[in-house]
Amino acid sequence: MKAMKLTSAVLVAGTLSLALAGCSGGAAGGEISAENPVEVSVGSTAGGASAIFLYGIDQGIFAEEGLDLTVEVQQSGGATLPAVMGGHIDFGASALTSIIQARAEGLPILAVAGGTGASEDPMTDISQVLVDPASGIESLADLEGKTLAINGLNTISQLSMVKGISDAGVDPDDVEMVEVGFPDMVATLQQGEIDAATVQEPFLTQGLDAGLVSIGSSYFEPGMAIGGVSTSEKFAAEHPEVVTAMKEAVSRTAKAIADDPESFREFQVEAEMIPAELADRLNLTSYRGEVDLETVQAAADVMVEFGWIDEVPDLDALVWKP
């Protein structure tokens, strides 16, 4: 396994200075290539969101596209877009809902590549709703008057649950949603402090092993896009060749994972990203190389439906074009 550059970045979420400092070194005055690379950074939370970049680095894909990429781990997804807009990082991997909301608020952010996505088969998703089998909860329709744990408020997880619960015929206001970290969800559920939880791998498999049962995916639409890679309009205008290379590298890495998921699984074990004893049974994160406008539109429509944004922003302008 090749050496990976992984740094931790503690970034202030409120910083919105546009003093971009990107592309530090390499390729000045010439086209970028494997022989003439440029140093760039991408911010991402740990886990599945960052795994695609680390795997692409390990496989030499980013280097082949002329990118000497550093992955800066953010403490929370909420820090990523402000870090991009403030020029602390060149690219950010974040939930599409965050990118859409930022654009709706008038921030000059662009979606340049795909990212994490839901599985076409809900029962193979990396995030599923777990319950105690003795609870009598068999579907989202049974959550009325119950307490549901999500990993964060104003997240794609919360939006998906609000949509799914509403579609099941229940008023989302009749379900109490509380914030619980993924590592604590199984124990909190077993202790009876909550009635259901949107649990993500590897905690999903650990919960199933402990006797909890899944009532379905945490996402409201099979195969929907969840995350995306963004940059600022200013960075894209100044470094279009870098954005093109990033888009191509993400697309190639997503395809490599889809073509050989076992290699990706082995990489995550070697990188100590997933427990070796569970590796063969974990559901793997799905990735999209391209920005899927259809599912972006669906997510934006749901955000309007439930009052997260006033209106759908110009999604065609949201997606970067070379």
Side-chain angles (χ1 to χ4, degrees), residues 4 10 15 27 49 70 72 84 86 100 120 128 138 183-184 193 207 218 221 244 246 268 276 278 281 288 301 313 317:
M4 296 175 293
V10 180
T15 302
T70 296
E72 297 193 355
V84 170
I100 293 167
E120 294 292 345
Q128 298 179 31
E138 297 180 352
D184 301 319
E193 297 177 26
S218 298
E221 183 177 325
T244 297
M246 172 60 80
Q268 291 185 88
L278 299 179
R281 296 185 292 121
R288 311 287 183 270
D301 289 342

Coordinates of all heavy atoms in Angstrom, one line a residue, residues 4 10 15 27 49 70 72 84 86 100 120 128 138 183-184 193 207 218 221 244 246 268 276 278 281 288 301 313 317:
M4 N 0.1 7.4 2.3 CA -1.0 8.4 2.0 C -0.7 9.7 2.9 O -0.1 9.6 3.9 CB -2.3 7.8 2.5 CG -2.8 6.6 1.7 SD -4.3 6.0 2.4 CE -3.7 5.4 4.0
V10 N -8.3 21.7 11.9 CA -9.3 22.3 12.8 C -9.6 23.6 12.2 O -8.8 24.5 12.2 CB -8.7 22.4 14.2 CG1 -9.7 23.0 15.1 CG2 -8.3 21.1 14.7
T15 N -15.7 31.1 9.0 CA -14.8 31.9 8.2 C -15.2 31.9 6.8 O -15.3 30.9 6.1 CB -13.3 31.3 8.3 OG1 -12.9 31.4 9.7 CG2 -12.4 32.2 7.5
A27 N 3.3 22.6 -11.3 CA 2.7 22.9 -12.5 C 2.5 24.4 -12.9 O 1.8 24.7 -13.8 CB 1.3 22.3 -12.5
A49 N -16.7 9.1 3.3 CA -16.5 10.3 2.5 C -15.1 10.5 2.1 O -14.8 11.0 1.0 CB -17.0 11.6 3.3
T70 N -3.7 16.1 -0.9 CA -3.7 15.9 0.5 C -5.1 15.9 1.0 O -5.9 16.8 0.6 CB -2.9 17.1 1.2 OG1 -1.5 17.0 0.9 CG2 -3.0 16.9 2.8
E72 N -7.5 16.5 4.0 CA -7.6 17.1 5.3 C -8.9 16.7 6.0 O -10.0 17.1 5.5 CB -7.4 18.6 5.2 CG -6.1 19.1 4.6 CD -5.9 20.6 4.8 OE1 -6.8 21.3 5.2 OE2 -4.7 21.0 4.4
V84 N -13.7 25.7 2.2 CA -13.6 25.9 0.8 C -13.7 27.3 0.4 O -12.9 27.9 -0.3 CB -14.6 25.0 0.0 CG1 -14.6 25.4 -1.5 CG2 -14.3 23.5 0.2
G86 N -13.4 29.9 2.3 CA -12.3 30.7 2.9 C -10.9 30.5 2.3 O -10.0 31.1 2.7
I100 N -26.4 22.5 -1.8 CA -27.6 23.1 -2.3 C -28.0 24.3 -1.5 O -28.4 25.4 -1.9 CB -28.8 22.1 -2.4 CG1 -28.4 21.0 -3.5 CG2 -30.1 22.8 -2.7 CD1 -29.3 19.8 -3.4
E120 N -28.6 0.9 -4.6 CA -29.8 0.6 -5.3 C -30.7 -0.4 -4.5 O -31.9 -0.4 -4.6 CB -29.5 0.0 -6.7 CG -28.9 1.0 -7.6 CD -29.8 2.1 -8.1 OE1 -31.0 2.0 -7.8 OE2 -29.3 3.1 -8.6
Q128 N -28.7 2.3 7.8 CA -30.0 1.7 7.9 C -30.6 2.0 9.2 O -29.9 2.4 10.2 CB -30.0 0.2 7.7 CG -29.4 -0.2 6.3 CD -29.4 -1.7 6.1 OE1 -30.2 -2.5 6.7 NE2 -28.4 -2.2 5.3
E138 N -42.0 -2.1 12.8 CA -41.6 -2.9 11.6 C -41.4 -2.0 10.3 O -40.9 -2.5 9.3 CB -42.8 -3.8 11.3 CG -43.0 -4.9 12.4 CD -44.1 -5.8 12.1 OE1 -44.8 -5.6 11.1 OE2 -44.2 -6.8 12.8
P183 N -21.1 6.1 16.8 CA -20.5 5.1 17.7 C -21.4 4.7 18.9 O -21.2 3.7 19.5 CB -19.2 5.7 18.1 CG -18.8 6.7 17.0 CD -20.2 7.2 16.6
D184 N -22.3 5.7 19.3 CA -23.1 5.5 20.5 C -24.5 5.0 20.2 O -25.2 4.7 21.2 CB -23.2 6.8 21.2 CG -21.8 7.4 21.6 OD1 -20.9 6.5 22.0 OD2 -21.5 8.6 21.5
E193 N -33.1 4.1 25.5 CA -33.2 5.6 25.6 C -33.8 6.1 24.3 O -34.3 7.3 24.3 CB -31.8 6.2 25.8 CG -31.2 5.8 27.2 CD -29.8 6.3 27.4 OE1 -29.5 7.4 26.8 OE2 -29.0 5.7 28.1
G207 N -24.4 -3.7 15.3 CA -25.8 -3.7 15.8 C -26.6 -4.9 15.4 O -27.3 -5.5 16.2
S218 N -31.6 4.3 5.5 CA -31.8 5.6 6.1 C -32.1 6.7 5.0 O -32.3 7.8 5.4 CB -30.5 6.0 6.8 OG -30.2 5.1 7.9
E221 N -34.5 7.5 -1.1 CA -34.6 7.1 -2.5 C -33.5 6.1 -2.8 O -32.3 6.5 -2.7 CB -34.7 8.2 -3.5 CG -34.9 7.8 -4.9 CD -35.0 9.1 -5.8 OE1 -35.5 10.1 -5.4 OE2 -34.5 9.0 -7.0
T244 N -10.8 20.1 -13.6 CA -11.0 19.1 -14.6 C -10.3 17.8 -14.1 O -10.8 16.7 -14.2 CB -10.4 19.5 -16.0 OG1 -11.2 20.6 -16.5 CG2 -10.5 18.3 -17.0
M246 N -9.4 17.0 -11.0 CA -10.1 16.4 -9.9 C -11.4 15.7 -10.3 O -11.6 14.5 -9.8 CB -10.5 17.6 -8.9 CG -11.4 17.2 -7.7 SD -10.6 15.9 -6.6 CE -9.5 16.9 -5.6
Q268 N -9.2 -0.7 2.9 CA -9.8 -0.1 4.1 C -9.4 -0.9 5.4 O -9.1 -0.3 6.4 CB -11.3 0.0 4.0 CG -11.8 1.0 3.0 CD -13.3 1.2 3.0 OE1 -13.8 2.0 3.8 NE2 -14.0 0.4 2.2
A276 N -11.0 -5.5 10.8 CA -10.7 -6.7 10.0 C -11.7 -7.8 10.3 O -12.1 -8.5 9.4 CB -9.3 -7.1 10.4
L278 N -14.8 -7.7 10.9 CA -16.1 -7.5 10.3 C -16.0 -7.2 8.7 O -17.1 -7.1 8.1 CB -16.8 -6.2 10.9 CG -17.1 -6.3 12.4 CD1 -17.7 -5.0 12.8 CD2 -18.0 -7.5 12.7
R281 N -18.2 -8.7 6.0 CA -19.7 -8.6 6.1 C -20.2 -7.2 6.0 O -21.4 -7.0 5.9 CB -20.1 -9.3 7.4 CG -19.8 -10.8 7.4 CD -20.4 -11.4 8.7 NE -19.7 -11.0 9.9 CZ -20.3 -10.4 10.9 NH1 -21.6 -10.2 10.9 NH2 -19.6 -10.1 12.0
R288 N -20.5 7.9 -6.6 CA -20.8 8.4 -8.0 C -19.7 9.2 -8.5 O -19.3 10.2 -7.8 CB -22.1 9.2 -7.9 CG -23.3 8.5 -7.2 CD -23.9 7.4 -7.9 NE -25.0 6.8 -7.2 CZ -24.9 5.8 -6.4 NH1 -23.7 5.2 -6.1 NH2 -26.0 5.3 -5.8
D301 N -35.9 19.5 -4.2 CA -37.3 19.6 -4.1 C -37.8 19.2 -2.7 O -38.8 19.8 -2.2 CB -38.0 18.7 -5.2 CG -37.8 19.1 -6.6 OD1 -37.6 20.4 -6.8 OD2 -38.0 18.3 -7.5
P313 N -32.4 26.5 -6.0 CA -31.5 27.4 -6.7 C -31.3 26.9 -8.2 O -31.8 25.8 -8.5 CB -30.2 27.3 -5.9 CG -30.3 26.0 -5.3 CD -31.7 25.7 -5.0
A317 N -26.5 26.1 -12.9 CA -25.4 26.9 -12.6 C -24.6 26.4 -11.4 O -23.4 26.7 -11.2 CB -25.9 28.4 -12.2

